[in-house]
């Protein structure tokens, strides 16, 4: 039964897996630069408010930061950059703001995709595709297809993403497999469970950055962050610079990651 694990996972996915998802192997983290950096890009609204601008102008400026930070992450040798662009809770915002936020991936890809392709970047998305406007989804799916063979930085947008939702989805898939007698209860291990998450085939983040001074996880990658190093800054996302990213990585390099053991190496 165990030998067929991968097949079981793929069969259990509610949405059809793309060729890109099927073919990807788990990446190994580098010793010095964190392989996987995840960012909660917070503070766009406050950035705008301080300038007496509408909130969407904060998000617009936040997109400019995304452009700079993607280039910098690539240059630093980061392998995976996961950006929390829209949470399942963000639907509670006014419609204008939701519409604007949902238009940003499309706008970003319209201006940046050529350069991303040149840089060998692979675009991915984690989150539920349902509810995402079709034009936004189309832009992401097209970018994903065009970049699926790329072997450089994985730029992973968390869009309509919720950590609890992701876990519930995984549990439902596993329960169905057990009901169908394709899986036994003792085969549910930590490693196997992670194959049912949206991030299957990706290593857990090594470093989580949250901007704007808030000290919360906000339903982001709840399972995956178990042993991630956390780094917080008061800086609002639109003001976040390449130097700030370097500072976060330096802080990470100075940490001793023990994963619950007594001894452990640096970073
Ligand atoms: C939280 O700030 C930020 C968001 C909900 C959206 C983040 C999106 C971007 C930075 C742009 C994404 C760009 C692309 C290309 C997808 P907030 O609005 O909650 O700020 P506040 O706490 O100060 O109000």
């Amino acid at each position: 039964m165990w030998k067929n694990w991968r097949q079981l996972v793929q069969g259990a996915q509610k949405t059809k897996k793309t060729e890109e998802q099927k073919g990807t192997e788990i990446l190994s983290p580098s010793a010095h630069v964190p392989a996987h950096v995840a960012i909660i890009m917070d503070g766009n609204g406050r950035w705008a408010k301080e300038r007496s601008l509408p909130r969407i102008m904060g998000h617009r400026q936040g997109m400019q930061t995304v452009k700079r930070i993607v280039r910098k992450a690539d240059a630093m040798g980061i392998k995976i950059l996961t950006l929390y662009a829209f949470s399942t809770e963000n639907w509670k915002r006014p419609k204008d703001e939701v519409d604007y936020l949902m238009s940003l991936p499309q706008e970003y890809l319209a201006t940046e995709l050529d350069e991303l392709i040149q840089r060998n970047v692979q675009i991915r998305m984690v989150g539920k595709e349902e509810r995402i406007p079709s034009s936004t989804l189309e832009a992401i799916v097209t970018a994903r297809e065009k970049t699926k063979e790329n072997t450089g930085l994985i730029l992973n947008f968390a869009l309509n993403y919720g950590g609890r939702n992701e876990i519930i989805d995984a549990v439902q898939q596993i329960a169905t497999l057990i009901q169908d007698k394709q899986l036994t209860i003792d085969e549910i291990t930590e490693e196997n469970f992670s194959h049912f998450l949206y991030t299957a085939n990706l290593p857990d983040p090594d470093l989580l950055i949250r901007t704007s001074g808030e000290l919360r996880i906000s339903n982001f990658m709840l399972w995956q962050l178990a042993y991630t190093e956390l780094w917080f800054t008061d800086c609002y996302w639109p003001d976040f610079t390449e130097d700030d990213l370097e500072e976060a990585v330096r802080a990470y390099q100075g940490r001793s990651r023990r994963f619950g053991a007594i001894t452990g190496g640096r970073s």
Side-chain angles (χ1 to χ4, degrees):
M1 198 172 279
W2 161 248
K3 280 184 203 135
N4 296 325
W5 186 261
R6 260 186 189 281
Q7 275 170 294
L8 280 179
V9 174
Q10 285 170 5
Q13 303 291 344
K14 285 193 194 109
T15 50
K16 226 175 120 211
K17 286 250 173 191
T18 62
E19 287 308 309
E20 164 239 314
Q21 283 168 312
K22 282 181 203 160
T24 313
E25 295 305 321
I26 295 174
L27 302 158
S28 61
S30 124
H32 300 292
V33 175
H36 186 174
V37 176
I39 308 185
I40 301 179
M41 309 179 289
D42 196 11
N44 296 346
R46 279 163 284 167
W47 182 93
K49 194 173 177 204
E50 280 184 4
R51 288 159 181 77
S52 306
L53 294 169
R55 290 178 57 81
I56 61 166
M57 293 312 289
H59 297 315
R60 178 152 206 87
Q61 199 58 33
M63 179 177 65
Q64 302 307 330
T65 306
V66 169
K67 292 181 186 175
R68 288 188 286 102
I69 294 304
V70 168
R71 288 189 192 107
K72 179 67 179 178
D74 185 29
M76 288 174 79
I78 289 167
K79 301 273 185 272
I80 305 155
L81 182 67
T82 297
L83 300 176
Y84 203 8
F86 193 94
S87 75
T88 45
E89 288 70 36
N90 288 151
W91 294 107
K92 295 176 199 155
R93 296 186 177 208
K95 186 176 182 309
D96 283 2
E97 187 173 340
V98 167
D99 289 349
Y100 190 74
L101 281 169
M102 279 295 171
S103 74
L104 287 179
Q106 202 178 341
E107 186 174 342
Y108 171 79
L109 291 168
T111 58
E112 298 296 291
L113 187 56
D114 286 348
E115 184 187 324
L116 293 170
I117 290 171
Q118 272 174 16
R119 285 178 178 272
N120 198 21
V121 171
Q122 189 187 115
I123 310 286
R124 293 204 199 181
M125 189 200 112
V126 286
K128 268 185 173 311
E129 294 190 357
E130 65 187 37
R131 266 187 106 173
I132 296 177
S134 54
S135 55
T136 307
L137 198 55
E138 221 173 276
I140 293 172
V141 169
T142 303
R144 203 163 64 181
E145 273 303 298
K146 281 190 178 168
T147 63
K148 69 181 180 193
E149 306 293 346
N150 289 358
T151 53
L153 173 75
I154 294 176
L155 175 55
N156 188 28
F157 287 109
L159 196 65
N160 194 19
Y161 175 88
R164 287 184 175 180
N165 235 306
E166 179 183 34
I167 291 170
I168 295 290
D169 277 356
V171 170
Q172 285 178 344
Q173 290 174 53
I174 290 169
T176 305
L177 289 171
I178 289 176
Q179 201 172 37
D180 295 348
K181 302 206 181 319
Q182 289 185 271
L183 197 64
T184 62
I185 287 172
D186 52 8
E187 283 177 310
I188 309 171
T189 62
E190 288 188 17
E191 198 204 332
N192 297 339
F193 187 84
S194 67
H195 293 308
F196 289 91
L197 298 171
Y198 305 151
T199 49
N201 302 322
L202 288 178
D204 292 341
D206 300 291
L207 172 66
L208 172 79
I209 296 171
R210 182 172 189 151
T211 59
S212 93
E214 306 294 349
L215 306 178
R216 293 187 288 275
I217 298 303
S218 298
N219 203 16
F220 190 44
M221 303 188 99
L222 297 179
W223 174 276
Q224 298 87 338
L225 292 178
Y227 281 100
T228 300
E229 295 297 323
L230 310 179
W231 190 83
F232 298 97
T233 173
D234 288 339
C235 173
Y236 295 148
W237 177 250
D239 291 328
F240 190 81
T241 64
E242 291 87 333
D243 286 349
D244 292 323
L245 181 60
E246 277 190 13
E247 193 186 329
V249 168
R250 270 197 304 277
Y252 167 86
Q253 288 170 335
R255 306 263 179 101
S256 169
R257 300 186 80 189
R258 292 186 295 277
F259 299 95
I262 298 170
T263 54
R266 293 257 163 213
S267 79

